[in-house]
């Protein structure tokens, strides 16, 4: 029988253990969360007359951890109801339950002795075949199971999640000396497919891959800062997005992680490595030790390298003067070399411009990068099997755009090594050998396939799961079937096409709408179906607001009317296409992005999708078929309960979703909001989304796909509209919305009610689309709506006017 994980136990209900339990619950796994039994009653428990033997007391630590999960932000759970999958317990009364588990993961304090004693107890309650793992970030995997049976050791490995587990992609899996290959391959597959992780196999060395290199890089950055005399904010300007690192750069990242956590991780490497030079690199700077003493730990204590203070003029951010140990108002950083690098273009050009700049800033970035690259190459044989594992670990665990070896390729291996040698650096032997063979980059690409150089000098194809479908590779193999500046239609094999948006921010304008029509016609003739998806940062942020505003300000009503009409008809064309259409949204999927998805035969959404019809924020209502489709979903939900059900409560919910511009914080919440239907599916791993969507197209085709029939829609009419308007009026009277919000709400109510017809009248889709377009055009002409559009474009946030 094929192995699967249906039940799991997490041992340890601290921040990390509870968050792992939450993510397992997100994946639909029933999870027992166990912690130690308290030895004292709280005042509250004493007041209730409870004793130390009461289950509520004995399970208190896990119960409280679960309660915190439901309140935490960012939310560890996709939706609160997922908390029902978590069952609190304790490490005495519930150890017998471990016999029923498919996976037991330990997340207790980072202490070897405590872990060893716990694993001894676990084995006494363990069923052979159950996978056991530790979430340690630095304790030796092999040492913690010394004394355990061979069978137990064969099923044991490290599973190091990064915090927070729901949002951080990296999962380092660390096999022990005796780990069964089948267990390792199963957990890699399970981690990718079920938990949605980017899995990297690491060796059992101090802090594994990402934390080893990441910690080294942060310490080197700190040392270079002191040497060159830069300020905290200057270093963050040089080590953030300009070099392909997160906006949080160096010191904001340390504040988020916690200075005490960082110090612990650095000390762990220092204690466990033998090489004296490496030991010296991991000595915790005196500044950070002092910060820990003072409890200046970063975000969790309100001050670290930065401090936020409330002043009479608002909130002020201060930065640490590490020489004097005082805080001063943060200064706006403007460094000529950084501005020059930004102007150079893409990341590769920015890196080259900066590291080869003769400026002080260029020297700083070069010195930091040089040391990180050399350290990564020197430690590679010890910590990982290949450069791909290291690069992925840094991209997925530290959110670097390029891993160390990808960075090295970007700045030029030959050129940079020559400079390193000039500066007296020792180049790792395997890198020297690669260059001696005339190979000048760590990675090579041929016909869209990526290859990398191994430690033994071979060229090997980069491995990845079969579900990791990448459009860039299909585009390298063949030209797009169709293309314009806004979108392209790409053949992704098996007679399936993919419509990729690539306009700025994937905003929908005339070019994308026209490509929709052309793509549908092409697919109906020559393909089995079509995926609407892409690999940008976000699926689609909505319609091209700038274009709408400019046309409105110039009174070009015919042009706006034509744009909206074409968008609406494209929506109908998607819905009634003779071939199956599957939309694959992810990230920000707003306004027009949602309107493209709603008429598809199926939505295959990424687990992290933020869907919302947000047009009211810019003074409009959804005009590309979104209001109509939301209404249809509401009426169908009602009729599933009873064909003659009262529509009003369902229409009220649809009204509230659009009027309050509700945006889901996960795919499961998108389902609660009505954007996803029962038959729509979710991909836990974003890298697998396009593959899953393609499989959905093929499944629909193989089932003998036929397009849906056009049906009339039952509406609540004038009476129902009055109910909706009353709800808006009540909010206006309560001061929750403005007069202009009230006007928008009335227009929305008119469309969702089906106009001024009688209750339970049946109307056509085109009738509703006409109402929707009329309301959209009317609001475009309102000065206050135009003010909202302008404010959003300039400030990036809604205006309440």
């Amino acid at each position: 029988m094929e192995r699967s994980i249906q039940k799991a136990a997490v041992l340890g209900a601290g921040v990390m253990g509870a968050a792992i339990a939450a993510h397992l619950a997100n994946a639909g796994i029933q999870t027992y969360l166990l912690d130690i039994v308290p030895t004292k009653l709280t005042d509250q428990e004493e007041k209730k007359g409870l004793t130390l033997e009461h289950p509520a007391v004995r399970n208190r630590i896990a119960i409280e951890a679960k309660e915190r999960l439901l309140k935490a932000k960012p939310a560890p759970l996709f939706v609160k109801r997922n908390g029902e999958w978590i069952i609190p317990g304790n490490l005495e009364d519930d150890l017998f339950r471990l016999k029923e588990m498919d996976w037991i993961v330990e997340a207790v304090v980072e202490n070897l002795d405590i872990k060893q004693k716990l694993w001894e107890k676990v084995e006494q309650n363990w069923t052979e075949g159950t996978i056991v793992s530790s979430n340690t970030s630095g304790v030796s995997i092999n040492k913690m199971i010394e004394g355990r049976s061979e069978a137990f050791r064969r099923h044991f490995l490290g599973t190091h999640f990064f915090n927070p587990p729901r949002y951080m992609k990296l999962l380092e899996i660390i096999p022990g000396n005796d780990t069964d290959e089948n267990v390792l391959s199963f957990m890699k597959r399970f981690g990718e497919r079920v938990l949605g992780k980017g899995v990297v196999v690491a060796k059992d060395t101090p802090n594994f891959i990402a934390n080893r290199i990441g910690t080294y890089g942060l310490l080197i950055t700190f040392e270079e800062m002191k040497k060159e005399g830069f300020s905290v904010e200057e270093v963050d300007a040089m080590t953030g997005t300009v070099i392909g690192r997160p906006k949080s750069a160096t010191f904001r990242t340390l504040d988020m992680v916690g200075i005490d956590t960082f110090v612990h991780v650095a000390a762990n490497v220092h204690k466990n490595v033998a090489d004296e030079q490496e030991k010296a690199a991991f000595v915790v700077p005196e500044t950070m030790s002092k910060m820990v003493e003072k409890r200046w730990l970063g975000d969790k204590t309100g001050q670290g390298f930065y401090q936020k203070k409330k002043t009479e003029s608002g909130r002020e951010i201060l930065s640490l003067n590490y020489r004097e140990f005082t805080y001063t108002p943060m200064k706006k950083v403007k460094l000529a070399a950084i501005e020059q690098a930004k102007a150079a273009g893409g990341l590769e050009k920015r890196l080259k411009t900066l590291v080869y700049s003769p400026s002080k800033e260029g020297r700083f970035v070069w010195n930091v990068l040089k040391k990180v690259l050399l350290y990564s190459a020197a430690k590679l044989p010890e910590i990982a099997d290949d450069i791909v594992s290291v690069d992925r670990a840094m991209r997925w665990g530290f959110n670097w755009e390029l891993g160390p070896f990808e960075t090295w390729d970007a700045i030029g291996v030959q050129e940079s090594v020559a400079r390193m040698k000039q500066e007296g650096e020792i180049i790792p032997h395997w890198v020297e050998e690669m260059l001696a063979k005339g190979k000048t980059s760590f990675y090579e690409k041929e016909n869209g396939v990526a290859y990398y150089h191994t430690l033994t000098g071979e060229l090997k194809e980069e491995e990845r799961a079969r579900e990791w479908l990448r459009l860039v590779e299909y585009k390298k193999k063949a030209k797009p079937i169709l293309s314009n500046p806004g979108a392209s239609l790409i053949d992704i094999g098996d007679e399936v096409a993919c419509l990729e948006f690539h306009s700025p921010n994937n905003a929908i304008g005339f070019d994308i709408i026209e490509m929709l029509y052309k793509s549908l016609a092409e697919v109906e003739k020559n393909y089995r179906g079509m995926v609407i998806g892409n690999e940008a940062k976000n699926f689609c942020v909505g319609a091209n607001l700038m274009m709408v505003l400019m046309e409105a300000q110039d009174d070009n009503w015919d042009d706006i009317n034509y744009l909206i009409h074409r968008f609406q008809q494209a929506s109908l064309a998607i819905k009634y296409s003779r071939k199956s259409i599957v939309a694959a949204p992810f990230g920000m999927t707003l306004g027009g992005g949602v309107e493209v998805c709603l008429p598809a035969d199926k939505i295959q959404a990424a687990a992290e999708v933020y869907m919302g019809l947000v047009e009211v924020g810019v003074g409009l209502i959804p005009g590309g078929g979104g209001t109509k489709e939301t209404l249809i979903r509401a009426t169908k939900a009602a009729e599933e309960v009873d064909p003659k059900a009262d529509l009003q409560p369902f229409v009220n919910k649809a009204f509230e979703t659009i009027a309050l511009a509700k945006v889901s914080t996960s795919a499961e919440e998108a389902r609660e909001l009505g954007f996803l239907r029962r038959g729509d599916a979710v991909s836990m791993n974003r890298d697998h989304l396009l593959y899953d969507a393609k499989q959905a197209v093929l499944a629909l085709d193989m089932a003998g796909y036929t397009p849906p029939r056009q049906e009339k829609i039952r509406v609540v009419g004038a009476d129902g509209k009055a109910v909706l308007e009353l709800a808006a009026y009540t909010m206006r009277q309560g001061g929750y919305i403005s007069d202009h919000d009230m006007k928008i709400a009335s227009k929305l109510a008119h469309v969702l009610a089906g106009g001024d017809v009688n209750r339970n009248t049946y109307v056509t889709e085109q009738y509703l689309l006409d109402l929707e377009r009329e309301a959209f055009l009317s609001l475009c002409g309102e000065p206050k709506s135009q003010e909202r559009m302008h404010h959003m474009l300039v400030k990036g946030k809604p205006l309440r006017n």
Side-chain angles (χ1 to χ4, degrees):
M1 190 176 76
E2 196 177 332
R3 184 190 289 275
S4 69
I5 292 176
Q6 305 296 325
K7 272 188 178 183
V10 177
L11 315 181
V15 172
M16 201 62 191
I20 291 169
H23 195 60
L24 298 189
N26 287 335
I29 298 166
Q30 188 182 57
T31 304
Y32 285 82
L33 181 60
L34 312 181
D35 210 304
I36 58 171
V37 174
T39 54
K40 285 183 181 177
L41 292 171
T42 64
D43 292 344
Q44 212 172 11
E45 286 166 345
E46 283 182 355
K47 282 177 191 171
K48 287 179 181 176
L50 302 180
T51 68
L52 285 171
E53 296 309 306
H54 195 282
V57 176
R58 293 180 72 77
N59 298 338
R60 182 214 305 151
I61 294 172
I63 289 168
E64 288 179 348
K66 180 176 171 178
E67 285 168 357
R68 284 194 296 273
L69 288 175
L70 298 171
K71 296 172 191 169
K73 287 185 179 179
L77 294 161
F78 288 158
V79 284
K80 285 188 177 178
R81 69 168 185 274
N82 283 357
E84 293 165 16
W85 289 94
I86 301 172
I87 302 159
N90 68 72
L91 287 166
E92 290 178 21
D93 306 329
D94 297 297
L95 276 180
F96 76 94
R97 297 186 190 279
L98 301 185
K99 292 181 186 295
E100 312 160 18
M101 299 299 137
D102 302 308
W103 179 25
I104 301 162
V105 55
E106 164 270 309
V108 301
V109 64
E110 292 283 70
N111 178 295
L112 179 60
D113 188 47
I114 289 170
K115 288 179 188 288
Q116 286 177 330
K117 284 175 180 167
L118 179 59
W119 286 124
E120 186 180 355
K121 284 184 187 175
V122 169
E123 187 169 10
Q124 291 163 13
N125 295 274
W126 174 73
T127 302
E128 186 165 345
T130 296
I131 293 172
V132 271
S133 74
S134 172
N135 180 59
T136 180
S137 59
V139 177
S140 169
I141 295 302
N142 289 296
K143 280 183 185 171
M144 75 171 76
I145 50 161
E146 283 175 356
R148 305 279 54 79
S149 69
E150 187 191 344
F152 192 87
R153 295 198 308 272
R154 280 203 318 271
H155 290 85
F156 187 85
L157 30 66
T159 48
H160 179 213
F161 288 86
F162 273 59
N163 193 27
R166 171 183 165 183
Y167 300 96
M168 291 302 291
K169 191 171 178 68
L170 181 61
L171 170 62
E172 288 178 322
I173 292 186
I174 310 97
N177 293 337
D178 302 310
T179 304
D180 187 301
E181 275 297 325
N182 292 326
V183 169
L184 175 61
S185 60
F186 170 79
M187 285 304 287
K188 280 167 64 180
R189 180 88 182 135
F190 170 79
E192 277 198 357
R193 197 77 182 124
V194 180
L195 300 182
K197 295 291 153 203
V199 175
V200 165
V201 176
K203 294 182 181 179
D204 188 16
T205 56
N207 290 74
F208 314 126
I209 300 173
N211 277 342
R212 179 85 166 261
I213 291 171
T215 305
Y216 177 83
L218 287 163
L219 289 167
I220 287 299
T221 304
F222 192 85
E223 284 307 305
E224 285 296 322
M225 174 180 75
K226 286 200 298 183
K227 201 186 295 180
E228 295 286 354
F230 284 113
S231 68
V232 160
E233 54 264 56
E234 282 173 332
V235 169
D236 272 355
M238 291 185 285
T239 58
T241 54
V242 69
I243 63 165
R245 303 286 172 81
K247 277 185 185 175
S248 53
T250 299
F251 295 107
R252 276 176 293 167
T253 296
L254 281 167
D255 277 356
M256 286 190 291
V257 168
I259 315 302
D260 54 339
T261 303
F262 177 78
V263 164
H264 169 79
V265 172
N268 188 60
V269 181
H270 180 264
K271 185 174 77 176
N272 289 295
V273 294
D275 181 87
E276 288 305 317
Q277 197 176 348
E278 188 175 9
K279 259 188 186 300
F282 281 90
V283 169
V284 173
E286 192 184 333
T287 303
M288 291 194 200
S289 297
K290 199 170 171 184
M291 289 172 79
V292 172
E293 279 172 35
K294 287 176 169 283
R295 302 291 296 164
W296 294 2
L297 306 180
D299 293 350
K300 58 188 167 189
T301 57
Q303 66 187 107
F305 285 101
Y306 292 98
Q307 183 183 32
K308 289 173 188 171
K309 270 199 167 178
K310 283 184 181 175
T311 64
E312 288 177 10
S313 56
R315 196 181 67 165
E316 188 178 26
I317 299 175
L318 311 175
S319 65
L320 179 69
N321 179 327
Y322 53 89
R323 297 178 199 85
E324 297 175 15
F325 253 76
T326 55
Y327 286 96
T328 53
M330 186 176 158
K331 291 172 188 162
K332 190 157 185 171
V333 176
K334 202 158 178 76
L335 301 168
I338 300 300
E339 296 308 311
Q340 192 182 354
K342 284 178 182 174
L347 178 55
E348 192 173 310
K349 287 178 182 172
R350 294 201 303 271
L351 281 167
K352 277 186 172 173
T353 302
L354 197 49
V355 298
Y356 296 119
S357 163
S359 64
K360 186 182 175 185
E361 296 82 34
R363 185 170 68 245
F364 172 86
V365 173
W366 163 255
N367 283 336
V368 169
L369 281 184
K370 171 182 74 172
K371 287 175 182 174
V372 171
L373 301 183
L374 288 169
Y375 182 77
S376 301
K379 292 298 153 191
L380 174 63
E382 180 190 331
I383 64 177
D385 288 327
D386 49 56
I387 63 171
V388 176
S389 299
V390 172
D391 282 341
R392 287 180 179 175
M394 299 318 296
R395 279 194 275 113
W396 293 338
F398 276 73
N399 292 321
W400 293 8
E401 276 187 60
L402 298 174
F405 299 99
E406 292 164 325
T407 300
W408 213 334
D409 275 354
I411 65 170
V413 181
Q414 209 167 17
E415 190 180 352
S416 59
V417 166
R419 181 175 171 186
M420 288 171 187
K421 283 180 173 178
Q422 245 180 358
E423 293 171 358
E425 301 291 353
I426 297 166
I427 311 301
H429 183 64
W430 71 272
V431 178
E432 290 267 39
E433 279 192 339
M434 184 187 86
L435 289 169
K437 287 176 183 173
K439 302 294 183 183
T440 56
S441 64
F442 292 102
Y443 291 93
E444 291 182 24
K445 283 191 178 173
E446 197 177 310
N447 296 324
V449 179
Y451 297 89
Y452 67 93
H453 285 278
T454 66
L455 285 163
T456 53
E458 301 163 279
L459 199 59
K460 197 172 178 184
E461 187 178 337
E462 200 177 313
E463 278 182 41
R464 64 166 189 260
R466 68 174 183 272
E467 294 91 354
W468 195 351
L469 185 159
R470 300 192 66 202
L471 294 179
V472 66
E473 291 176 4
Y474 286 96
K475 286 190 282 190
K476 280 184 178 173
K477 286 176 189 172
K479 284 183 180 177
I481 308 157
L482 300 166
S483 189
N484 71 18
S488 296
L489 186 68
I490 300 154
D491 189 326
I492 56 172
D494 300 312
E495 298 173 72
V496 178
C498 177
L499 179 61
E500 177 197 31
F501 298 167
H502 45 65
S503 63
N505 294 318
N506 286 354
I508 295 171
F510 277 114
D511 45 10
I512 285 181
I513 292 169
E514 291 311 306
M515 188 53 68
L516 265 167
Y517 283 107
K518 288 177 182 176
S519 297
L520 289 165
E522 176 67 25
V523 167
E524 285 194 350
K525 275 188 220 163
N526 299 312
Y527 289 84
R528 295 165 74 180
M530 182 172 81
V531 171
I532 303 175
N534 60 73
E535 294 169 317
K537 186 180 175 186
N538 295 300
F539 176 78
C540 176
V541 296
N544 187 332
L545 190 60
M546 172 72 79
M547 183 179 67
V548 173
L549 177 60
M550 286 172 67
E551 299 291 0
Q553 287 175 334
D554 291 343
D555 293 333
N556 290 334
W557 304 114
D558 287 346
D559 287 351
I560 299 175
N561 183 54
Y562 178 72
L563 172 70
I564 299 307
H565 176 71
R566 290 290 282 172
F567 193 3
Q568 289 181 339
Q569 296 310 304
S571 167
L572 286 179
I574 292 169
K575 188 171 185 175
Y576 297 110
S577 167
R578 289 190 288 112
K579 299 291 175 71
S580 59
I581 311 295
V582 174
F586 59 88
M588 301 303 282
T589 301
L590 305 174
V594 176
E595 291 179 302
V596 167
C597 296
L598 295 182
D601 297 298
K602 182 171 183 172
I603 296 175
Q604 182 75 41
E608 298 295 340
V609 67
Y610 310 104
M611 292 184 89
L613 292 165
V614 295
E615 284 83 353
V616 294
V618 289
L620 305 169
I621 70 162
T627 307
K628 180 262 297 181
E629 280 298 320
T630 304
L631 174 61
I632 289 174
R633 283 164 186 247
T635 58
K636 284 194 173 170
E639 284 161 5
E640 279 176 15
V641 175
D642 179 349
K644 294 181 180 177
D646 178 11
L647 295 177
Q648 194 69 52
F650 297 88
V651 176
N652 291 353
K653 186 185 172 189
F655 176 73
E656 189 179 283
T657 299
I658 298 175
L660 298 179
K662 289 187 176 182
V663 177
S664 72
T665 56
S666 67
E668 287 310 320
E669 194 177 358
R671 202 183 296 282
E672 287 184 351
L673 291 174
F675 297 128
L676 300 188
R677 300 154 295 195
R678 191 179 296 160
D680 293 329
V682 176
S683 296
M684 287 292 281
N685 193 324
R686 160 83 185 276
D687 290 333
H688 298 180
L689 180 62
L690 289 174
Y691 173 89
D692 293 341
K694 177 183 169 181
Q695 297 310 115
V697 167
L698 293 171
L700 285 164
D701 178 68
M702 287 174 72
Y705 176 77
T706 53
R709 286 183 305 154
Q710 294 208 28
E711 295 174 355
K712 288 191 171 182
I713 302 110
R714 185 159 63 105
V715 295
V716 294
D719 292 348
K721 180 169 88 166
V723 173
L724 300 177
E725 287 180 329
L726 177 62
Y729 177 77
T730 305
M731 288 187 76
R732 177 69 195 101
Q733 291 303 103
Y736 297 106
I737 62 174
S738 67
D739 285 339
H740 192 57
D741 290 324
M742 183 70 204
K743 182 175 277 188
I744 298 164
S746 294
K747 299 276 185 187
L748 177 62
H750 186 70
V751 181
L752 286 172
D756 294 319
V757 297
N758 294 327
R759 185 178 286 275
N760 293 327
T761 296
Y762 284 82
V763 300
T764 65
E765 284 187 77
Q766 190 56 56
Y767 168 81
L768 289 170
L769 287 172
D770 291 342
L771 290 181
E772 180 182 288
R773 192 167 74 258
E774 184 185 5
F776 185 92
L777 285 163
S778 164
L779 288 166
C780 277
E782 292 284 341
K784 285 188 182 292
S785 286
Q786 292 181 15
E787 284 171 20
R788 289 189 179 193
M789 286 186 253
H790 182 263
H791 191 270
M792 178 62 78
L793 288 166
V794 173
K795 304 282 187 182
K797 55 187 179 183
L799 170 69
R800 293 297 305 276
N801 59 353

